[in-house]
Structures are given as structure tokens and as C-alpha cells.
Amino acid sequence: MADRAWQGLVTTAVHPDGFLGYVQKVGDRPESSQPVTYDRTSDFGVGAFLLGGTELALLTS
């Protein structure tokens, strides 16, 4: 099931050039950075995405 979720993230949020979209900006309230779109990103989102991929790789090995 986790591999299907990962594939969903990769096919939806990762742009063809490697840019990661659908990342909420930092703010004091979630609504302060709405709407979250395909073109929105932030450094912490990329880091979280990479950590998630690392954990999935550990699960499958």
C-alpha cells in the first residue's frame, strides 16, 4: 500500500524537471498559504519528500 501512495506522490507532485509541487508554505495558520497548487514549493517539503522516499526504500529492502 505504501508503494502505491508513493507512486501517487511521484506522478502528481513531481514535475518533469524534478521540481516538487503541492507544498504548503510556512505560516502561522494553514489558511495563510492557501491554495496549495502544483507550482507551490518550499525547502522543507522537498526534505520531507526525500525522507519519505528513504523510509520507503528501507521498507522494501
Side-chain angles (χ1 to χ4, degrees):
M1 186 60 87
D3 56 334
R4 289 179 60 200
W6 181 255
Q7 285 304 315
L9 283 171
V10 170
T11 58
T12 303
V14 179
H15 296 213
D17 63 358
F19 187 86
L20 180 66
Y22 295 107
V23 179
Q24 181 176 331
K25 298 286 186 188
V26 176
D28 61 339
R29 293 177 310 279
E31 65 271 8
S32 67
S33 64
Q34 298 298 320
V36 177
T37 64
Y38 181 72
D39 295 319
R40 307 263 328 239
T41 194
S42 189
D43 294 343
F44 73 89
V46 175
F49 182 81
L50 294 173
L51 285 171
T54 301
E55 291 300 316
L56 182 62
L58 291 172
L59 283 173
T60 60
S61 63

mmCIF file of all heavy atoms in Angstrom, residues 1 4 6-7 26 38 45 47 51 54-56 61:
data_model
loop_
_atom_site.group_PDB
_atom_site.id
_atom_site.type_symbol
_atom_site.label_atom_id
_atom_site.label_comp_id
_atom_site.label_asym_id
_atom_site.label_seq_id
_atom_site.Cartn_x
_atom_site.Cartn_y
_atom_site.Cartn_z
ATOM 1 N N MET A 1 0.813 -1.187 0.000
ATOM 2 C CA MET A 1 0.000 0.000 0.000
ATOM 3 C C MET A 1 0.863 1.260 0.000
ATOM 4 O O MET A 1 0.535 2.222 -0.677
ATOM 5 C CB MET A 1 -0.934 -0.016 1.212
ATOM 6 C CG MET A 1 -1.925 1.113 1.235
ATOM 7 S SD MET A 1 -3.047 1.192 -0.148
ATOM 8 C CE MET A 1 -4.341 0.150 0.401
ATOM 9 N N ARG A 4 2.046 2.252 -3.471
ATOM 10 C CA ARG A 4 1.022 2.906 -4.288
ATOM 11 C C ARG A 4 0.886 4.378 -3.904
ATOM 12 O O ARG A 4 0.720 5.243 -4.776
ATOM 13 C CB ARG A 4 -0.315 2.197 -4.141
ATOM 14 C CG ARG A 4 -0.323 0.832 -4.814
ATOM 15 C CD ARG A 4 -1.638 0.118 -4.647
ATOM 16 N NE ARG A 4 -2.712 0.895 -5.240
ATOM 17 C CZ ARG A 4 -3.987 0.751 -4.938
ATOM 18 N NH1 ARG A 4 -4.361 -0.145 -4.029
ATOM 19 N NH2 ARG A 4 -4.899 1.484 -5.524
ATOM 20 N N TRP A 6 3.269 6.237 -2.647
ATOM 21 C CA TRP A 6 4.481 6.893 -3.143
ATOM 22 C C TRP A 6 4.355 7.177 -4.646
ATOM 23 O O TRP A 6 4.703 8.270 -5.103
ATOM 24 C CB TRP A 6 5.710 6.037 -2.857
ATOM 25 C CG TRP A 6 6.959 6.693 -3.326
ATOM 26 C CD1 TRP A 6 7.693 6.379 -4.429
ATOM 27 C CD2 TRP A 6 7.620 7.800 -2.716
ATOM 28 N NE1 TRP A 6 8.755 7.224 -4.539
ATOM 29 C CE2 TRP A 6 8.740 8.099 -3.505
ATOM 30 C CE3 TRP A 6 7.361 8.558 -1.587
ATOM 31 C CZ2 TRP A 6 9.608 9.146 -3.193
ATOM 32 C CZ3 TRP A 6 8.229 9.588 -1.281
ATOM 33 C CH2 TRP A 6 9.327 9.875 -2.077
ATOM 34 N N GLN A 7 3.867 6.211 -5.396
ATOM 35 C CA GLN A 7 3.679 6.418 -6.831
ATOM 36 C C GLN A 7 2.699 7.554 -7.094
ATOM 37 O O GLN A 7 2.875 8.330 -8.040
ATOM 38 C CB GLN A 7 3.208 5.126 -7.513
ATOM 39 C CG GLN A 7 4.301 4.109 -7.691
ATOM 40 C CD GLN A 7 5.488 4.660 -8.463
ATOM 41 O OE1 GLN A 7 5.353 5.323 -9.475
ATOM 42 N NE2 GLN A 7 6.682 4.376 -7.957
ATOM 43 N N VAL A 26 5.313 28.003 4.705
ATOM 44 C CA VAL A 26 5.373 28.192 6.145
ATOM 45 C C VAL A 26 4.469 29.369 6.513
ATOM 46 O O VAL A 26 4.468 30.391 5.833
ATOM 47 C CB VAL A 26 6.820 28.481 6.592
ATOM 48 C CG1 VAL A 26 6.885 28.781 8.079
ATOM 49 C CG2 VAL A 26 7.718 27.312 6.247
ATOM 50 N N TYR A 38 0.006 23.052 -7.761
ATOM 51 C CA TYR A 38 1.068 22.291 -8.438
ATOM 52 C C TYR A 38 2.381 23.067 -8.456
ATOM 53 O O TYR A 38 3.457 22.478 -8.396
ATOM 54 C CB TYR A 38 0.589 21.984 -9.856
ATOM 55 C CG TYR A 38 1.544 21.186 -10.715
ATOM 56 C CD1 TYR A 38 1.761 19.840 -10.475
ATOM 57 C CD2 TYR A 38 2.194 21.773 -11.786
ATOM 58 C CE1 TYR A 38 2.608 19.098 -11.275
ATOM 59 C CE2 TYR A 38 3.043 21.037 -12.595
ATOM 60 C CZ TYR A 38 3.250 19.696 -12.337
ATOM 61 O OH TYR A 38 4.097 18.974 -13.141
ATOM 62 N N GLY A 45 9.512 20.983 2.348
ATOM 63 C CA GLY A 45 8.693 19.980 1.663
ATOM 64 C C GLY A 45 9.538 19.016 0.860
ATOM 65 O O GLY A 45 9.280 17.811 0.837
ATOM 66 N N GLY A 47 12.652 18.266 1.522
ATOM 67 C CA GLY A 47 13.332 17.423 2.504
ATOM 68 C C GLY A 47 12.431 16.322 3.040
ATOM 69 O O GLY A 47 12.845 15.169 3.161
ATOM 70 N N LEU A 51 12.983 12.289 2.676
ATOM 71 C CA LEU A 51 12.983 11.410 3.847
ATOM 72 C C LEU A 51 11.940 10.312 3.710
ATOM 73 O O LEU A 51 12.179 9.166 4.082
ATOM 74 C CB LEU A 51 12.738 12.212 5.127
ATOM 75 C CG LEU A 51 13.911 13.040 5.615
ATOM 76 C CD1 LEU A 51 13.475 13.952 6.755
ATOM 77 C CD2 LEU A 51 15.048 12.150 6.058
ATOM 78 N N THR A 54 13.284 7.698 1.425
ATOM 79 C CA THR A 54 14.303 6.901 2.120
ATOM 80 C C THR A 54 13.654 5.834 2.995
ATOM 81 O O THR A 54 14.062 4.674 3.001
ATOM 82 C CB THR A 54 15.193 7.816 2.987
ATOM 83 O OG1 THR A 54 15.819 8.779 2.132
ATOM 84 C CG2 THR A 54 16.246 7.021 3.727
ATOM 85 N N GLU A 55 12.617 6.219 3.723
ATOM 86 C CA GLU A 55 11.924 5.248 4.585
ATOM 87 C C GLU A 55 11.239 4.166 3.765
ATOM 88 O O GLU A 55 11.236 2.994 4.143
ATOM 89 C CB GLU A 55 10.914 5.964 5.480
ATOM 90 C CG GLU A 55 11.561 6.839 6.539
ATOM 91 C CD GLU A 55 12.463 6.052 7.483
ATOM 92 O OE1 GLU A 55 12.072 4.958 7.920
ATOM 93 O OE2 GLU A 55 13.544 6.550 7.782
ATOM 94 N N LEU A 56 10.657 4.529 2.636
ATOM 95 C CA LEU A 56 10.025 3.535 1.778
ATOM 96 C C LEU A 56 11.071 2.572 1.231
ATOM 97 O O LEU A 56 10.837 1.345 1.185
ATOM 98 C CB LEU A 56 9.284 4.217 0.623
ATOM 99 C CG LEU A 56 8.542 3.259 -0.297
ATOM 100 C CD1 LEU A 56 7.465 2.498 0.463
ATOM 101 C CD2 LEU A 56 7.938 4.015 -1.458
ATOM 102 N N SER A 61 13.529 -3.081 1.337
ATOM 103 C CA SER A 61 14.802 -3.824 1.261
ATOM 104 C C SER A 61 14.894 -4.927 2.299
ATOM 105 O O SER A 61 14.111 -5.086 3.162
ATOM 106 C CB SER A 61 15.976 -2.884 1.415
ATOM 107 O OG SER A 61 15.988 -2.260 2.675
#
